Every structure is written in C-alpha cells, then in structure tokens.
Amino acid sequence: MQQLSEDIRKKIILFQKTEITEYHIYKRLAKRIKSVENAKILDQIAEDELRHYNGWKEYTNEEVQPRWFFVWFYYLVSMLFGFTFGVKLMEMGEEKAQVNYEAVSKVIPKAIEYQDEEDKHEHQLIEMLDEERLQYAGSVVLGLNDALVELTGALAGLTLALQDVKLIALSGLITGIAASLSMAASEYLSTRSEKTSKHPVRAAVYTGIAYIITVTLLILPYLLFENYYLDLVIALTTAVVIIAVFNYYISVAKGESFRERFVEMAGLSLSVAAFSFVIGYFIRQWLGIEI
C-alpha cells in the first residue's frame, strides 16, 4: 500500500466519515419506509455507501465513527418533510466534496470510480424514489398559489377599505374558508376528470389543507395586533416567507429552480396586493365610507 501524505489521509478519513454516516441514514430510512420498492432503493444505496467506506478503509487502515448528529438530523428531517426531500438535501451537501475527490484521484485513481458512482448510480436510484406527498405537490401548489394571491389581494383591499382589524379578520376568514372549500371541490373534479394516478379525494384534501393553513397564517396578525397597517405588512411578509419555504422544499425535492419559482410567485402575490390596496382606496372614496 502506497504511503499517503497527511493531507490526502485527512481527506480520505473525511470520505470515510461521510460514507459511514450516509450508510446509517439510508439504513434507518429503509426500515421506516412502507413502500417495498423505495425501501429496496434506499437499502441498495446504503450498501454502496458501506462498500465505499470499506474501500477507503483499505488505504487508511482506520475505523471511523459516523457523525451521529447528522445521522439523526437527516433522519428527522426525512421523517418530518419526506424521505425524498431529506435524501436530496443530503446529496446536495455531498456535492461540496467534489474538489476533494479530484485532489485524491491524482494519488488514488479509484477515487474516480467512487465519484462516478456517487454522481451517476446513486443519483439515478434517488430519482427512482416515488413518494406520495410529491405526487400531490401540484395540489399543494394550487392551494398555496390561490390562497396567497387571493388573500393577500383581499387583505390589502380590505385593510384600506374597512380600516378595522376585526372587520378585516372576519371578512378575510369568511372569504378564505369559502374559497378553500371551493378550491378543494374544483381540485376534486379536475383530478377525477384527468387520467392520473392521484386519488381525487386526496388531491382535494391536500389543496384544501394548504389553502386553510395559508389563510390562517395570513389572517393571524389581524387577530393579534390593532394596527391594521402593521398587520398588512406582517401578512405580506408571511406570504413571502411561505413562498420561500415551500419553493425551497420543491426545488430540493423535485430538482427545480428555486429563484425562478420564488420570483414568479412572490411577484404575482405582491403585485395583486398592491393593486388591490389601490382599488380599496378608490372604492372607499367612491362610496364615501367613513368608519
């Protein structure tokens, strides 16, 4: 076995830690997943990680412990937000190791083989993962989009037109609840008429829940604070945060562009809110309403 420099040895030990850590993550996820096919895929990836770990150990002759914090962190993230999101989030972090792989490959050619397997084989396996919540992501997007656009616009218009937090909250809740039921029914009928593997009732439930949660978060400031302009600012800020969080989730889980989706959704919601705010002012003046 060739003599390794201290720098190369440290890099390989880091590879070992990464491989054994991911082995434990994939093994734990494989045991918790109900789908037999998904469990097989994750179990196969875990065995690949263990094989890589043992391959690197031949060069260091050293047993390395996994980073247990990351084992439990990614395991919990996967349980909370879905195993596809957790796995892909973990793989995104692994891309940072490419520079180290290139440096080591100049001394150990086998590093190229391991890198290729990480880049191709495992990524192909990950793309085969099929998770129910991602199948219904379109329904969640529909609920979020409609709730954000309609409610931010309605709240902006109501804020200037009514200028009373209780009336604004009441009007917003009635509008939001009615709209959520309407959107859920529309999604049910739409999914039922399409040739898709999605269940119409589940699609409707996902749409309705996404809508109601969004409505609740946007209305909440009006139930807590008396300054309606402050409430509107908080509601709009909340809308932008919801858009950012959800689009980050989708960008990781489905490999789509975060910036493009975020700018489009945020721009649309805020533009509608600004337009509605102006309309609320003119309607108030036209009707001569003084509260």
Side-chain angles (χ1 to χ4, degrees), residues 33-48:
I33 292 173
K34 294 179 182 178
S35 167
V36 176
E37 289 302 316
N38 286 330
K40 283 182 179 178
I41 292 171
L42 292 176
D43 202 58
Q44 184 176 344
I45 298 175
E47 292 303 321
D48 284 344

Side-chain angles (χ1 to χ4, degrees), residues 76-279:
L76 291 174
V77 166
S78 299
M79 290 297 99
L80 289 172
F81 302 106
F83 61 84
T84 306
F85 176 80
V87 167
K88 290 194 174 182
L89 184 66
M90 181 171 62
E91 289 298 316
M92 284 174 62
E94 194 176 270
E95 291 176 2
K96 298 176 182 178
Q98 299 305 315
V99 175
N100 287 337
Y101 267 111
E102 291 175 7
V104 172
S105 66
K106 296 174 182 178
V107 180
I108 304 173
K110 200 174 186 64
I112 296 294
E113 178 185 332
Y114 289 167
Q115 184 181 11
D116 287 342
E117 287 187 8
E118 297 284 356
D119 288 345
K120 297 176 183 177
H121 178 59
E122 289 178 4
H123 287 182
Q124 288 170 354
L125 287 173
I126 289 170
E127 291 303 319
M128 291 168 61
L129 292 172
D130 184 23
E131 189 173 12
E132 179 184 286
R133 71 182 69 189
L134 287 182
Q135 292 178 9
Y136 293 93
S139 299
V140 175
V141 169
L142 180 65
L144 280 174
N145 276 349
D146 276 54
L148 289 167
V149 173
E150 291 177 12
L151 260 295
T152 51
L155 288 175
L158 290 169
T159 295
L160 198 58
L162 300 179
Q163 297 186 1
D164 182 293
V165 290
K166 290 183 179 179
L167 285 176
I168 296 167
L170 177 63
S171 302
L173 281 172
I174 292 172
T175 302
I177 292 171
S180 67
L181 295 175
S182 174
M183 283 304 306
S186 297
E187 180 67 0
Y188 170 82
L189 294 173
S190 175
T191 305
R192 190 177 180 185
S193 66
E194 296 173 356
K195 292 182 179 180
T196 175
S197 60
K198 293 194 300 183
H199 193 285
V201 174
R202 288 185 183 177
V205 169
Y206 275 103
T207 300
I209 290 175
Y211 204 116
I212 288 172
I213 290 174
T214 306
V215 167
T216 302
L217 292 173
L218 294 179
I219 296 293
L220 190 59
Y222 292 89
L223 300 174
L224 298 177
F225 307 107
E226 291 296 324
N227 187 318
Y228 44 83
Y229 288 121
L230 173 63
D231 294 336
L232 178 60
V233 171
I234 295 174
L236 294 177
T237 303
T238 301
V240 173
V241 171
I242 292 172
I243 292 169
V245 170
F246 181 74
N247 279 292
Y248 178 74
Y249 176 86
I250 292 296
S251 70
V252 172
K254 301 188 76 172
E256 298 179 2
S257 170
F258 168 77
R259 179 178 295 181
E260 183 178 334
R261 289 175 59 92
F262 172 75
V263 170
E264 181 181 39
M265 282 185 68
L268 186 60
S269 295
L270 295 178
S271 296
V272 170
F275 182 74
S276 300
F277 191 79
V278 174
I279 291 297

Side-chain angles (χ1 to χ4, degrees), residues 20-61:
I20 198 63
T21 297
E22 293 185 356
Y23 164 77
H24 283 283
I25 295 170
Y26 286 124
K27 275 293 184 184
R28 279 168 170 72
L29 291 178
K31 290 177 182 177
R32 287 296 303 270
I33 292 173
K34 294 179 182 178
S35 167
V36 176
E37 289 302 316
N38 286 330
K40 283 182 179 178
I41 292 171
L42 292 176
D43 202 58
Q44 184 176 344
I45 298 175
E47 292 303 321
D48 284 344
E49 300 289 3
L50 183 61
R51 179 168 53 82
H52 292 169
Y53 167 80
N54 288 323
W56 290 123
K57 190 171 72 173
E58 293 177 4
Y59 293 94
T60 63
N61 294 315

Side-chain angles (χ1 to χ4, degrees), residues 4 8-16 56 60 104 108:
L4 301 175
I8 294 296
R9 181 180 173 79
K10 286 180 179 178
K11 284 183 171 63
I12 295 176
I13 288 176
L14 181 61
F15 294 160
Q16 282 184 264
W56 290 123
T60 63
V104 172
I108 304 173

Side-chain angles (χ1 to χ4, degrees), residues 62-79:
E62 186 174 331
E63 289 285 353
V64 176
Q65 290 298 310
R67 291 175 287 193
W68 290 110
F69 170 80
F70 289 104
V71 171
W72 292 111
F73 172 77
Y74 284 112
Y75 176 77
L76 291 174
V77 166
S78 299
M79 290 297 99

